């Protein structure tokens, strides 16, 4: 399989499974997108959303129920995994415990019938790329979790694949190692110049690594966009909720003026930004806790008052729960010390109060 490809195209890719009672359900429902050489794409969503199913369909580990996968206009969905030539990095590393690092990395090349003289320099280059040149003679059990993951990455890239597929590769690492290995993955991707498809349920991983993010729910794509737009302009309420908009409140719509929407709920009146056409007189507002300004002088259009009912200390700031005068509750982040019972004023920027159909 060529590694100098231009694009991988998925057209209405579907994968069905049999459910109880003989009925079928789509774990992946008509995924359509194009991935270009050099691009880093993250498949993001909660467990069971279809992201790993999509990855396994691309890898050839699952047959399609419908649709097609093409590499530069050549259909590959009928090819077995070994004929596609993609590199795969698994969640559990899948290293051979009885083989040295060097032999683990060279395994795929040996399976391709390459000679020892051909294998040695390619393994050395791969280990150098993942910064493990001094570990070639060790067994996997002698390495840290982060080092084992880098061995798995070296094994995937040593075959010079057109595409590297990663299935939640950092989920077994502790927080510090996840951040370090995340940076290594992005560096390696940049040096390789190939495409990477990366499955994760972690929003921070997706935002920091990807050129584009595919947010999924129940096998259906909800949004495909840049990290910046996924973060700031979620396409629907599901994407907003998954991307950290923890304040989700339902209001009565009192007026709509272009992109601005005036809303009312009890004693609270706010102005928000329309993100989807409304289909009734009620709407839902999604707001991130960190977008709420704490302690702003009262009197603004989106200024609300309440009392602090809970504080979660987080180091540089705290997550505070505020019971508003009208009975609604808001979560806000504040670097100003607060205690339960404190009276407080909050201000919500209209452009960060995102309005969706109820």
């Amino acid at each position: 399989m060529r590694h100098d490809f231009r694009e991988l195209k998925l057209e209405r890719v579907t994968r069905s499974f049999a459910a109880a009672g003989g009925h079928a359900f789509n774990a992946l429902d008509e995924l359509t997108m194009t991935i270009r050489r050099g691009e880093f794409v993250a498949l993001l969503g909660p467990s069971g959303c279809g992201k790993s199913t999509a990855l396994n369909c691309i890898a050839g580990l699952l047959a399609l129920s419908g649709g097609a996968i093409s590499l530069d206009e050549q259909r590959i969905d009928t090819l077995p995994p070994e004929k596609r030539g993609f590199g795969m990095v698994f969640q559990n590393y899948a290293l051979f415990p009885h083989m040295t690092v060097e032999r683990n990395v060279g395994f795929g090349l040996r399976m391709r019938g390459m000679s020892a003289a051909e294998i040695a320099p390619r393994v050395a280059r791969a280990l150098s790329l993942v910064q493990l040149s001094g570990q070639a003679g060790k067994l996997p059990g002698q390495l840290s979790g982060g080092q084992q993951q880098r061995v798995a990455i070296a094994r995937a890239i040593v075959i010079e694949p057109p595409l590297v597929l990663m299935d939640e590769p950092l989920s077994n690492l502790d927080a510090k190692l996840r951040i370090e290995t995340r940076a290594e993955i992005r560096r390696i991707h940049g040096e390789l110049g190939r495409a990477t498809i990366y499955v994760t349920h972690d929003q921070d991983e997706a935002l920091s690594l990807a050129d584009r993010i595919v947010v999924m729910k129940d096998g259906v794509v909800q949004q495909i966009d840049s990290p910046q737009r996924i973060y700031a302009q979620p396409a629907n309420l599901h994407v907003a909720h998954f991307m950290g908009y923890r304040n989700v409140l339902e209001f009565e719509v009192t007026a709509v003026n272009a992109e601005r929407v005036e809303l009312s709920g009890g004693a609270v009146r706010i102005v928000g930004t329309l993100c989807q056409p409304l289909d009734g007189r009620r709407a839902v507002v999604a707001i991130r806790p960190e977008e709420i300004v704490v302690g702003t002088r009262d009197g603004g259009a989106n200024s609300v008052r309440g009392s602090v009912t809970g504080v979660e200390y987080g180091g540089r700031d705290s997550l505070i729960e505020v019971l508003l005068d009208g009975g609604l509750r808001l979560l806000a982040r504040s670097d100003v010390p607060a205690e339960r019972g404190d009276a407080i004023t909050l201000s919500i920027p209209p452009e960060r109060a995102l309005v969706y159909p109820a």
Side-chain angles (χ1 to χ4, degrees):
M1 186 64 65
R2 293 164 31 214
H3 59 73
D4 59 340
F5 81 111
R6 296 186 307 276
E7 60 183 30
L8 177 82
K9 185 174 293 185
L10 284 67
E11 299 177 273
R12 303 182 68 180
V13 172
T14 300
R15 171 65 190 190
S16 300
F17 289 96
H23 300 291
F25 73 96
N26 289 337
L28 184 64
D29 194 359
E30 297 197 353
L31 170 60
T32 296
M33 69 176 303
T34 298
I35 298 161
R36 296 170 184 84
R37 177 181 169 87
E39 194 172 20
F40 197 119
V41 174
L43 305 181
L44 175 66
S47 297
C49 73
K51 56 189 187 295
S52 289
T53 299
L55 196 77
N56 288 329
C57 286
I58 295 168
L61 302 177
L62 286 175
L64 306 189
S65 303
I69 302 175
S70 303
L71 193 69
D72 288 347
E73 307 302 327
Q74 176 188 352
R75 284 282 296 270
I76 64 168
D77 52 88
T78 56
L79 297 178
E82 64 274 13
K83 294 293 185 181
R84 303 186 190 194
F86 298 157
M88 188 88 179
V89 181
F90 296 96
Q91 182 177 338
N92 61 357
Y93 317 145
L95 301 177
F96 297 109
H98 62 289
M99 290 185 185
T100 63
V101 166
E102 186 176 32
R103 288 188 62 78
N104 262 289
V105 174
F107 180 79
L109 300 178
R110 292 196 300 275
M111 291 299 99
R112 285 163 171 77
M114 293 181 64
S115 68
E118 293 174 299
I119 292 172
R122 289 178 61 167
V123 169
R125 284 198 301 272
L127 288 176
S128 175
L129 189 60
V130 299
Q131 300 181 352
L132 286 176
S133 295
Q135 313 295 329
K138 292 185 177 180
L139 295 173
Q142 297 174 291
L143 304 178
S144 69
Q147 288 174 321
Q148 290 184 47
Q149 189 56 277
R150 282 189 277 160
V151 173
I153 294 170
R155 184 180 58 188
I157 65 178
V158 75
I159 61 173
E160 298 182 359
L163 187 65
V164 178
L165 308 174
M166 297 190 176
D167 192 1
E168 306 233 26
L170 306 184
S171 60
N172 290 330
L173 304 182
D174 62 38
K176 181 174 181 292
L177 270 178
R178 277 202 304 272
I179 294 173
E180 292 174 356
T181 310
R182 191 166 77 195
E184 285 297 294
I185 287 173
R186 186 68 200 185
R187 177 186 63 80
I188 292 165
H189 168 82
E191 291 191 25
L192 282 175
R194 311 284 168 78
T196 300
I197 302 178
Y198 186 100
V199 164
T200 182
H201 63 272
D202 187 302
Q203 300 94 320
D204 290 339
E205 278 183 24
L207 290 170
S208 65
L209 285 169
D211 300 309
R212 279 193 299 161
I213 297 174
V214 183
V215 183
M216 302 181 67
K217 177 190 178 187
D218 298 334
V220 179
V221 171
Q222 304 296 305
Q223 186 173 358
I224 302 177
D225 226 322
S226 67
Q228 294 80 3
R229 288 183 61 85
I230 293 283
Y231 182 88
Q233 301 175 48
N236 57 42
L237 195 56
H238 168 76
V239 178
H241 198 273
F242 191 76
M243 295 307 297
Y245 287 77
R246 295 181 61 182
N247 297 298
V248 180
L249 308 170
E250 188 167 334
F251 288 95
E252 186 79 20
V253 178
T254 56
V256 179
N257 181 14
E259 292 185 353
R260 288 289 190 255
V261 184
E262 296 179 16
L263 306 121
S264 173
V268 177
R269 295 179 181 277
I270 67 171
V271 176
T273 298
L274 186 64
C275 294
Q276 275 185 301
L278 301 179
D279 54 9
R281 296 306 302 171
R282 297 195 67 78
V284 172
V285 178
I287 310 162
R288 291 180 182 277
E290 56 268 33
E291 302 285 1
I292 297 175
V293 182
V294 177
T296 302
R297 186 175 62 227
D298 197 5
N302 278 9
S303 180
V304 294
R305 297 194 305 176
S307 61
V308 176
T309 56
V311 180
E312 293 181 16
Y313 178 67
R316 295 180 62 182
D317 60 17
S318 297
L319 182 70
I320 60 173
E321 182 185 66
V322 178
L323 177 63
L324 303 183
D325 292 347
L328 297 176
R329 293 180 185 271
L330 281 177
L331 295 173
R333 288 210 169 273
S334 174
D335 56 4
V336 178
E339 296 183 2
R340 293 181 182 178
D342 286 353
I344 198 166
T345 300
L346 305 176
S347 180
I348 306 163
E351 66 274 12
R352 304 308 308 141
L354 307 185
V355 181
Y356 300 92

